[in-house]
Amino acid sequence: MKYVGLFIKKLLRYLLKPLSFLPAIAVMYLIFHFSAQDGASSAMLSRKVSYKAVTVADRILEKDWSDTQIEAYTEQIHYYVRKTAHVTEYFVLAVTVAFPLYVYGIRGLWLVFLAGAFCVSFAGLDEYHQSFVSGRGASVRDVMIDSIGVLPGIFLVRITGFIGRKTIFRPLALRKK
């Protein structure tokens, strides 16, 4: 029975390790999909998010803003909502790229370097891709903004992995001996 459990564990590890890259591929597809939207569609989507944030704030804070005030506040935060989306997308990408690398044993500065270089390179390629989309353009500033989300995502994986190794997996390894 012990050997069956060991076989199942090794089989799962053999199958799940390569599958750990799927979330990163899904996030890259999502980023590419958003970048493929023409300028008007992209602006409309982020404007809807901005409008929703303002109306929720109006309700929560019980301000009873007029439609004109809601529109004005929506315009004020629209730029910041767009740039926050950039940071958030690349934070998630960094987590989904760094995790499988961590699973494969890449740790420390190598994890930061490899995952960071991959994510920043993807940001540059994504901006280049946008230069071919109607109403959009490539922006070095957007690559820089994207990069802001990368390091915290990688460090989240490093911290989570470290804590997991110290609190969950090390006691399990000690128990086996």
Side-chain angles (χ1 to χ4, degrees):
M1 192 67 177
K2 179 180 172 184
Y3 294 109
V4 172
L6 185 62
F7 173 74
I8 291 172
K9 184 177 178 181
K10 286 189 182 252
L11 180 65
L12 282 174
R13 187 173 286 162
Y14 178 76
L15 291 174
L16 292 180
K17 277 179 86 171
L19 293 177
S20 66
F21 285 100
L22 288 179
I25 293 167
V27 171
M28 288 186 290
Y29 172 79
L30 190 66
I31 290 171
F32 183 82
H33 175 72
F34 282 133
S35 294
Q37 292 177 329
D38 63 73
S41 298
S42 177
M44 188 172 22
L45 178 62
S46 59
R47 192 174 184 303
K48 281 182 187 177
V49 172
S50 302
Y51 182 82
K52 186 67 173 175
V54 170
T55 56
V56 167
D58 180 37
R59 246 182 282 135
I60 290 172
L61 300 174
E62 299 176 353
K63 293 289 187 177
D64 294 324
W65 289 326
S66 68
D67 289 341
T68 307
Q69 287 174 306
I70 290 174
E71 288 297 324
Y73 290 133
T74 298
E75 289 306 315
Q76 284 180 0
I77 69 167
H78 182 241
Y79 173 82
Y80 300 103
V81 167
R82 288 183 71 83
K83 299 312 168 189
T84 301
H86 277 263
V87 172
T88 305
E89 284 176 337
Y90 281 87
F91 173 83
V92 172
L93 179 64
V95 168
T96 60
V97 166
F99 178 73
L101 294 175
Y102 193 90
V103 166
Y104 275 94
I106 298 171
R107 306 275 197 288
L109 289 178
W110 278 109
L111 179 68
V112 175
F113 176 73
L114 290 174
F118 180 85
C119 292
V120 172
S121 297
F122 187 80
L125 288 171
D126 186 50
E127 287 300 317
Y128 178 69
H129 161 248
Q130 283 184 29
S131 69
F132 298 103
V133 177
S134 172
R136 306 284 296 263
S139 165
V140 173
R141 179 192 297 166
D142 280 351
V143 173
M144 302 285 236
I145 291 170
D146 297 341
S147 299
I148 291 170
V150 170
L151 273 180
I154 295 168
F155 281 113
L156 176 66
V157 170
R158 287 190 68 198
I159 290 167
T160 305
F162 178 79
I163 291 171
R165 283 194 347 259
K166 295 296 183 190
T167 61
I168 298 170
F169 299 112
R170 178 163 289 157
L172 289 176
L174 293 174
R175 199 176 319 152
K176 288 180 185 177
K177 293 178 181 178

